[in-house]
Amino acid sequence: QGGNNAGHTVVVDGKEYDFHLFPSGIINPKAISFIAQLKSYFSLYLLTGLKDWEKRLIISDRAHIVFDFHQAVDGLQEVQRQAQEGKNIGTTKKGIGPTYSSKAARTGLRICDLLSDFDEFSSRFKNLAQQYKSMFPTLEIDIEGQLKKLKGYAEKIRPMVRDGVYFMYEALHGSPKKILVEGANAALLDIDFGTYPFVTSSNCTIGGVCTGLGVPPQHVGDVYGVVKAYTTRVGIGAFPTEQINEIGDLLQSRGHEWGVTTGRKRRCGWLDLVILKYAHMINGFTALALTKLDILDVLDEIKIGVAYKLGGKRIPYFP
């Protein structure tokens, strides 16, 4: 999933749910939902209107924890970028980038750390907080208050935590099951293959199934690409088919195009087949789920981006 920076709006039986961290399957009383080796933020207790969700949620012991100071730093970094470069990345300020930075710097803390020796966890938490304070002198962190809160969370989530790799191994090799992996963020926001640097910090392409869950490649079956009948983007970044006109406004209003996490208006434009083909090159879709075709019903004519030109020549790749 990559963290609570993305959102899925799911409507079931007329009731609307906005999920940021939970797999959408949490609504289904027959499904077990699993948050894997990605990011856990303790917004788990804000879920209302669902019965017994705690009994069908499993959290991997290897999931990294997003701390409050990661979120604060995310905001400070955006302010810095704006001041230094005159533009920012347009992150959701949910602390995802800084948490991945901690992970890559090998100073991150995981669920397994939180649930084992709390003294050891506290010491490492203080070190990490201190590192960030030295980088951002204006950053204020209530270390003791945070640790007290985290200790409380630890006991609440303890019953849900499992060894994530073994859990997936058993799911794949035990009695036959239907396993659906849900991704968040679009292929073009992938840290390696997206429109860098206007991307998220995780692999939201098919490789994330293997690296995020510990699932061997041979177990990946059908791959469904979810694509709208037009193209949208939240935040900054390249968007050749964008319509900054009444067409864009129409798509935005008819399609209810607001970022689920930020509430920002989504930028809208015609369907870009070049990026769709590019996403297919990386993910190898076996099928496409085409959504929101009805939003185009009121238009007499629709346009589709079919090729890019570079230096006056058509190119077969995504530059």
Side-chain angles (χ1 to χ4, degrees), residues 14 83 97 247 267 304:
I247 294 282
R267 297 159 62 193
I304 290 175

Side-chain angles (χ1 to χ4, degrees), residues 10-273:
V10 185
V11 182
V12 178
D13 296 331
K15 190 168 166 60
E16 189 175 296
Y17 301 88
D18 287 336
F19 292 126
H20 301 276
L21 187 66
F22 281 98
S24 302
I26 196 80
I27 301 169
N28 182 351
K30 294 178 186 166
I32 295 293
S33 288
F34 179 49
I35 296 173
Q37 191 174 336
L38 298 160
K39 299 282 165 281
S40 281
Y41 187 70
F42 298 105
S43 51
L44 298 178
Y45 298 97
L46 304 178
L47 193 66
T48 52
L50 283 180
K51 281 184 185 166
D52 299 329
W53 61 268
E54 303 97 325
K55 293 176 184 162
R56 52 180 190 271
L57 179 70
I58 289 169
I59 302 169
S60 172
D61 57 349
R62 288 163 173 81
H64 276 256
I65 304 169
V66 182
F67 296 118
D68 285 4
F69 58 75
H70 283 130
Q71 291 197 314
V73 163
D74 205 349
L76 289 171
Q77 285 177 328
E78 282 286 78
V79 171
Q80 271 187 1
R81 287 184 198 110
Q82 190 69 48
Q84 289 165 358
E85 301 165 38
K87 62 181 181 194
N88 55 32
I89 287 176
T91 83
T92 57
K93 298 176 186 160
K94 293 290 178 185
I96 305 305
T99 306
Y100 271 97
S101 300
S102 297
K103 176 182 175 178
R106 290 155 295 190
T107 52
L109 287 160
R110 303 189 289 176
I111 295 291
C112 53
D113 302 312
L114 176 63
L115 298 189
S116 51
D117 182 340
F118 196 76
D119 288 340
E120 170 73 10
F121 174 85
S122 301
S123 155
R124 287 175 60 192
F125 177 86
K126 286 172 185 171
N127 286 345
L128 185 58
Q130 218 46 61
Q131 278 174 25
Y132 276 108
K133 277 171 80 76
S134 62
M135 283 190 281
F136 300 91
T138 58
L139 187 65
E140 289 177 15
I141 306 172
D142 173 11
I143 290 178
E144 293 310 321
Q146 286 297 303
L147 284 169
K148 190 179 173 186
K149 225 191 250 184
L150 287 158
K151 195 166 192 177
Y153 289 139
E155 294 322 305
K156 282 182 181 169
I157 64 165
R158 197 178 290 278
M160 303 176 208
V161 177
R162 304 259 187 98
D163 182 301
V165 173
Y166 186 62
F167 172 76
M168 280 312 302
Y169 180 82
E170 281 196 307
L172 290 163
H173 297 281
S175 55
K177 289 176 184 65
K178 287 178 179 167
I179 298 172
L180 176 69
V181 180
E182 177 185 34
N185 295 310
L188 270 284
L189 292 179
D190 186 274
I191 185 74
D192 292 311
F193 300 109
T195 49
Y196 193 89
F198 308 107
V199 291
T200 190
S201 305
S202 59
N203 288 113
C204 19
T205 37
I206 195 69
V209 175
C210 304
T211 56
L213 285 163
V215 169
Q218 68 260 37
H219 289 289
V220 176
D222 290 321
V223 179
Y224 298 99
V226 182
V227 59
K228 290 174 189 169
Y230 50 95
T231 302
T232 63
R233 176 160 199 144
V234 173
I236 302 157
F239 191 168
T241 61
E242 184 173 12
Q243 297 300 295
I244 307 171
N245 51 30
E246 67 280 2
I247 294 282
D249 294 341
L250 177 103
L251 295 172
Q252 199 276 325
S253 58
R254 264 183 72 82
H256 304 291
E257 295 296 350
W258 303 90
V260 178
T261 302
T262 58
R264 285 182 291 189
K265 273 187 182 182
R266 290 197 182 107
R267 297 159 62 193
C268 300
W270 299 117
L271 180 62
D272 185 333
L273 288 183

